[in-house]
Amino acid sequence: MNDNAATPKQEHEPGTHPNWPAPILTSGPIAWMRDNLFSSPFNVILTLLALWVLWIIIPPIINWVFIEAIWSATDRKDCWAQMSEPEAGACWAFIQSRLSLFIYGFYPEAERWRVNLCFVMLILFLLPILWDKCPGRKYLLWYCIAFPFIAGWLLIGGFGLTPVPTNEFGGIMLTFIIGVTGIFFSLPIGVALALGRISNMPALSTICVIFIEFIRGVPLIALLFVASTMLNYFLPPGTTFDLLMRVLIMVTLFSAAYIAEVVRGGLQAMPRGQYEAADALGLTYWQSARLIILPQALKISIPGIVNTFIGLYKDTTLVIIIGMLDPLGIGRAALADAEWAGLAREVYLFIAVFFFLCCFGMSRYSLYLEKKLHTGH
Amino acid sequence: MNSTPATTAPPVDTSGNVITRLWRHEESRSVIIQIVTMVVLFALLALAARNVAINLEAIGKEFSFDFLWSTAAYDITFSPFIEYTSRDTHMRAMWVGIGNTLLVAVCGIILASILGFLMGVMRLSKNWLVSRIVYCVIEFTRNVPVLLHILLIHGVIVTTLPPPKQAIPLGEHFFISNRGFFVPAPVFEEGFWLVVMAFIAAIVAIVFFKRWAKKVQDATGKIYPVFWISLGLLVGFTGLMFLLTGMPLSWDFPVLKGFNYKGGMALRPEFLALWLALSYYTASFIAEIVRGGIISVSHGQTEAARALGLRQNRVLQLVVVPQALRVIIPPLASQYLNLTKNSSLAIAIGYMDVVATIGGISLMQTGKEMETMSIVIVIYLIFSLTISAIMNWFNRRMKLVAR
């Protein structure tokens, strides 16, 4: 703005002018505030209104969650007795007393090391998938393929381990089981469905279209009811089929149909030339899909795929409606306990934060991945 | 070019038996794959059907929809459209359920769109603080399961609000309590149908006026204030008829009688919880869609419109909004579908929708799993197909017409 050459007094020899900081009104915190908070009268009002809302909401929440909160107590009355006035703060003692229930459900106490081992293995499973510079990634990926099966064996038992019936599974562990299984199996099935849908074999593509549209037209609850009430009718007489297994199949098929649509979007967004180039190179169908088409199509569809995964992960809560006890189910059951009744806010906040951390993490990771794989301009 | 014989047929592979040779040929291979798939599929379906028949016979059930005409014998507390008592049939209970699903879906779609558009615009606000607050709200809402939102709102209404006796009054005729929100109910008196007719007539008139105005504009360039004239027609004509017929509308106010309110309209906690939770949950997704749609319209478009001398509202109306809508509508349609499907979570808090009536209590009482579940599935398929058909039609109308 202020051109120094125009000032009448030459205070500095040419070339010796010191590097002065930019004027306070064009950069720095004050300028930033002028631009972003107080640029017009309307904006000033908005800012004041927003500050007022924050002032109303934030301090009571912080007060309730941290300052007045009680972390150890024997029951609700004891908890409230320790506060300045009853219900002034959160009673986290409740969550703490039920923490093992929230994590393991009703898994037998003596066998919980198996669940803990699975949690450790889960971290080892996620490591090479999420971190592409992980040492020994090539071998660990083989482990990743084996992981769901090893974990299944560890959790259910059999072959040398004490069998644990699946109706004792619950809590965060159940959420992880359904979430990881659904994500792991729905991606390949979804990709296959997408390829089937755009294939030029009419019979095959019709089957895929009917399957995808059918699943997408029906709420997951209805499918879970189907799994819990009528799926056994379709099986040979005398066979019984574990409820958790049926739920896993339904959840996987459900999210596979959504993945299929996302991947189809990616496949259709690819320029025709890519398909033609692959054909011109003399690649077979599977070679061109594996080497040319899918790597690009999947890259475009990453945001959609991760969104579907997040949706699946949140939908695992629906199993409480057919009587399984995920964290939400455990929380509701715990609230029925007379000693702790009335602490719904604590329970719901705890579960909400758990899901938020998982889902927000996933969406942030997908953003990072998108940026990393972005090769355009 | 001439050096290579162009007309040589591809070498006919004569090695191997017939099947290997057919397999090597692309078209016949595709036919083989399809035939095999169909055979396997139908074999599986036939096997499943056979299993169903055997299993049903083994426990002495038969596949029939006769139960729909037997007495339902359960109460439905919330049935705003259809008269229903526990002596009615399962069929009628199903219609009540469908009505309730549609009610919460339509109300939810309206509220979610309003909230979503508001939040989407606020997210784009130049005010850093406002945009950040909305961002936090959106991220927190959309990353928490919708079932949790529903249970939370229901819990808040039922446990923290006062009972009807100490209900919180909002003004004179609105009351908030843990049995629901009590609001005045409209009572339509004789002659109200004339007002409705006037309203419809006004809409028809507006459609014709719009066409005529467009014709005039195309021919002469003269622009009428279509929006204001339309609004005037709608309000003026309907209002005039309302006054002429002697105001055939009165309000039935809720009054406290004993332990509950009588009269008026009660928005029950189940309905409220489901409606509000579905709306703000879906709104957080719509907000992101709206934001994406608006920033997808490049700045050059706005500048070009300005350079043509259009006023600000004309820029929005003619340039920005039509282009943004094109990006917004397809994902918006799928959000509407999601909301409708998520309304099936009603069963968790006891709101009697399709799943809770026919797929819930009717199923328990009659033991007809196959029949009730297939009814539920067919109903939802009809909902989904209808919504996507409407949205596809709308999308086609808005689509870019390449000239």
Side-chain angles (χ1 to χ4, degrees):
Chain A
M1 283 291 190
N2 300 334
D3 202 341
N4 262 18
T7 50
K9 235 180 3 185
Q10 283 257 303
E11 286 179 4
H12 302 279
E13 288 295 309
T16 63
H17 196 288
N19 291 328
W20 282 340
I24 199 162
L25 289 180
T26 56
S27 78
I30 294 176
W32 181 87
M33 275 165 60
R34 258 172 62 115
D35 282 352
N36 292 299
L37 298 177
F38 305 106
S39 58
S40 65
F42 177 65
N43 242 341
V44 173
I45 297 172
L46 271 186
T47 305
L48 293 180
L49 210 65
L51 283 175
W52 178 73
V53 168
L54 286 182
W55 177 246
I56 297 283
I57 292 175
I58 300 289
I61 289 183
I62 291 186
N63 189 37
W64 187 79
V65 173
F66 299 107
I67 299 172
E68 293 265 4
I70 301 298
W71 296 84
S72 64
T74 51
D75 62 16
R76 176 185 48 161
K77 295 242 168 63
D78 179 25
C79 222
W80 287 348
Q82 293 180 43
M83 296 171 195
S84 54
E85 56 179 300
E87 302 195 58
C91 180
W92 297 121
F94 173 40
I95 303 292
Q96 227 161 18
S97 78
R98 296 299 154 95
L99 198 58
S100 69
L101 218 53
F102 272 116
I103 297 175
Y104 304 104
F106 294 99
Y107 208 81
E109 215 146 318
E111 306 291 335
R112 282 189 186 162
W113 61 271
R114 278 150 58 175
V115 184
N116 291 335
L117 186 61
C118 281
F119 282 133
V120 175
M121 283 170 61
L122 179 70
I123 295 169
L124 265 182
F125 165 76
L126 292 177
L127 203 65
I129 292 180
L130 302 184
W131 182 30
D132 63 343
K133 289 191 193 72
C134 168
R137 186 164 189 253
K138 234 165 130 186
Y139 307 102
L140 279 175
L141 283 178
W142 285 105
Y143 157 75
C144 290
I145 294 173
F147 167 75
F149 303 99
I150 303 175
W153 167 64
L154 266 175
L155 292 174
I156 297 169
F159 301 111
L161 289 172
T162 331
V164 178
T166 53
N167 57 13
E168 288 176 6
F169 289 17
I172 289 173
M173 169 192 147
L174 185 67
T175 303
F176 278 158
I177 292 176
I178 302 175
V180 172
T181 316
I183 289 173
F184 187 85
F185 289 102
S186 67
L187 186 59
I189 297 176
V191 170
L193 280 172
L195 287 174
R197 184 166 181 167
I198 63 157
S199 87
N200 42 21
M201 300 185 205
L204 210 60
S205 80
T206 315
I207 294 173
C208 290
V209 169
I210 292 177
F211 179 81
I212 293 171
E213 293 306 326
F214 174 78
I215 299 262
R216 277 162 42 93
V218 175
L220 182 56
I221 275 293
L223 292 178
L224 290 179
F225 272 140
V226 168
S228 73
T229 59
M230 63 184 261
L231 205 60
N232 271 342
Y233 286 113
F234 292 107
L235 299 171
T239 38
T240 47
F241 206 51
D242 190 63
L243 178 62
L244 178 61
M245 209 59 177
R246 283 181 266 159
V247 167
L248 287 180
I249 292 174
M250 277 302 175
V251 168
T252 307
L253 292 182
F254 185 76
S255 90
Y258 284 82
I259 297 267
E261 280 305 272
V262 172
V263 173
R264 180 172 73 113
L267 288 170
Q268 286 177 340
M270 290 237 308
R272 192 77 229 146
Q274 294 290 325
Y275 292 87
E276 284 162 3
D279 284 346
L281 284 174
L283 298 179
T284 66
Y285 178 78
W286 289 110
Q287 278 173 332
S288 75
R290 189 163 54 88
L291 300 170
I292 309 234
I293 309 299
L294 282 180
Q296 301 184 65
L298 287 181
K299 194 179 93 179
I300 312 175
S301 7
I302 283 176
I305 291 177
V306 176
N307 274 342
T308 313
F309 287 163
I310 293 175
L312 182 154
Y313 194 77
K314 284 184 295 180
D315 280 346
T316 58
T317 48
L318 303 200
V319 296
I320 68 169
I321 289 170
I322 54 166
M324 301 179 99
L325 292 171
D326 84 324
L328 201 50
I330 297 273
R332 293 184 92 198
L335 283 176
D337 184 346
E339 271 181 19
W340 296 103
L343 299 178
R345 276 176 297 184
E346 283 86 343
V347 170
Y348 288 141
L349 186 65
F350 171 70
I351 301 167
V353 168
F354 164 69
F355 275 100
F356 175 77
L357 289 180
C358 297
C359 298
F360 190 66
M362 276 194 249
S363 73
R364 287 284 110 175
Y365 182 76
S366 117
L367 278 183
Y368 154 79
L369 206 60
E370 233 177 292
K371 238 178 240 160
K372 202 183 74 178
L373 294 179
H374 185 72
T375 46
H377 301 288
Chain B
M1 276 302 212
N2 289 338
S3 60
T4 51
T7 51
T8 316
V12 179
D13 190 352
T14 48
S15 64
N17 57 26
V18 185
I19 295 185
T20 8
R21 267 186 291 168
L22 279 176
W23 187 250
R24 282 194 193 120
H25 192 258
E26 199 185 331
E27 274 167 31
S28 59
R29 183 170 61 211
S30 135
V31 172
I32 294 175
I33 292 176
Q34 296 188 58
I35 290 174
V36 171
T37 322
M38 293 307 268
V39 167
V40 170
L41 184 75
F42 280 109
L44 281 177
L45 287 180
L47 187 69
R50 184 176 155 273
N51 286 339
V52 169
I54 295 175
N55 285 326
L56 283 179
E57 209 186 309
I59 49 172
K61 283 186 190 175
E62 57 175 329
F63 188 83
S64 83
F65 289 96
D66 290 344
F67 73 96
L68 281 176
W69 284 270
S70 61
T71 310
Y74 59 88
D75 280 316
I76 298 178
T77 46
F78 185 76
S79 170
F81 303 119
I82 301 172
E83 288 286 315
Y84 175 88
T85 63
S86 57
R87 283 190 301 281
D88 281 316
T89 60
H90 287 290
M91 185 73 155
R92 208 171 170 83
M94 180 186 85
W95 283 111
V96 173
I98 293 178
N100 285 350
T101 294
L102 284 179
L103 177 72
V104 81
V106 170
C107 293
I109 285 175
I110 294 171
L111 185 60
S113 308
I114 297 171
L115 281 178
F117 273 79
L118 269 180
M119 291 206 291
V121 172
M122 279 162 83
R123 182 82 177 78
L124 283 172
S125 162
K126 285 212 180 71
N127 190 312
W128 182 85
L129 203 57
V130 170
S131 137
R132 279 282 115 175
I133 292 175
V134 175
Y135 170 75
C136 292
V137 171
I138 290 175
E139 284 299 325
F140 192 78
T141 311
R142 55 189 263 154
N143 281 316
V144 169
V146 60
L147 185 55
L148 187 58
H149 287 303
I150 295 173
L151 291 177
L152 183 69
I153 298 267
H154 189 246
V156 167
I157 292 177
V158 173
T159 62
T160 62
L161 290 181
K165 252 198 134 124
Q166 288 102 38
I168 307 166
L170 288 182
E172 247 179 88
H173 301 299
F174 294 82
F175 302 94
I176 295 177
S177 80
N178 64 358
R179 297 266 193 91
F181 294 4
F182 298 92
V183 296
V187 179
F188 305 110
E189 286 156 17
E190 216 174 322
F192 191 77
W193 64 275
L194 278 170
V195 180
V196 177
M197 291 304 286
F199 183 75
I200 296 171
I203 289 179
V204 173
I206 286 169
V207 170
F208 278 104
F209 169 68
K210 259 192 172 164
R211 282 201 191 151
W212 177 80
K214 188 166 185 313
K215 226 179 251 169
V216 171
Q217 190 186 345
D218 286 351
T220 65
K222 187 167 162 34
I223 301 174
Y224 286 95
V226 175
F227 176 76
W228 294 110
I229 292 180
S230 303
L231 195 69
L233 262 176
L234 197 67
V235 173
F237 200 47
T238 318
L240 192 70
M241 193 51 113
F242 187 66
L243 291 177
L244 278 180
T245 49
M247 296 193 257
L249 177 74
S250 61
W251 296 94
D252 180 17
F253 297 110
V255 184
L256 188 65
K257 287 237 173 80
F259 287 104
N260 210 341
Y261 280 88
K262 286 266 151 30
M265 200 160 47
L267 301 175
R268 298 185 59 82
E270 302 91 59
F271 172 75
L272 276 175
L274 193 65
W275 178 42
L276 295 179
L278 284 178
S279 301
Y280 74 68
Y281 178 76
T282 312
S284 68
F285 288 86
I286 293 179
E288 286 295 291
I289 293 169
V290 169
R291 172 173 163 264
I294 293 176
I295 54 179
S296 77
V297 180
S298 76
H299 198 57
Q301 293 283 329
T302 326
E303 284 170 347
R306 274 293 176 75
L308 286 174
L310 294 175
R311 273 176 295 146
Q312 179 61 32
N313 58 347
R314 287 257 138 189
V315 172
L316 285 177
Q317 184 196 341
L318 298 174
V319 178
V320 178
V321 171
Q323 296 190 70
L325 275 186
R326 220 164 274 145
V327 179
I328 289 172
I329 286 171
L332 191 65
S334 72
Q335 285 309 322
Y336 287 168
L337 273 176
N338 281 348
L339 190 148
T340 310
K341 284 183 284 175
N342 281 339
S343 72
S344 60
L345 297 178
I347 196 169
I349 51 168
Y351 177 76
M352 301 302 275
D353 76 330
V354 177
V355 177
T357 53
I358 192 83
I361 304 181
S362 288
L363 187 155
M364 298 295 170
Q365 295 203 343
T366 59
K368 299 267 185 192
E369 296 97 349
M370 305 281 287
E371 295 85 343
T372 50
M373 285 324 294
S374 30
I375 291 175
V376 169
I377 287 175
V378 167
I379 291 172
Y380 274 103
L381 283 179
I382 293 173
F383 285 166
S384 302
L385 292 178
T386 318
I387 293 187
S388 51
I390 294 172
M391 285 319 243
N392 278 344
W393 168 80
F394 195 60
N395 199 20
R396 253 200 314 280
R397 278 201 47 171
M398 300 297 293
K399 215 163 67 183
L400 194 67
V401 184
R403 292 198 177 103

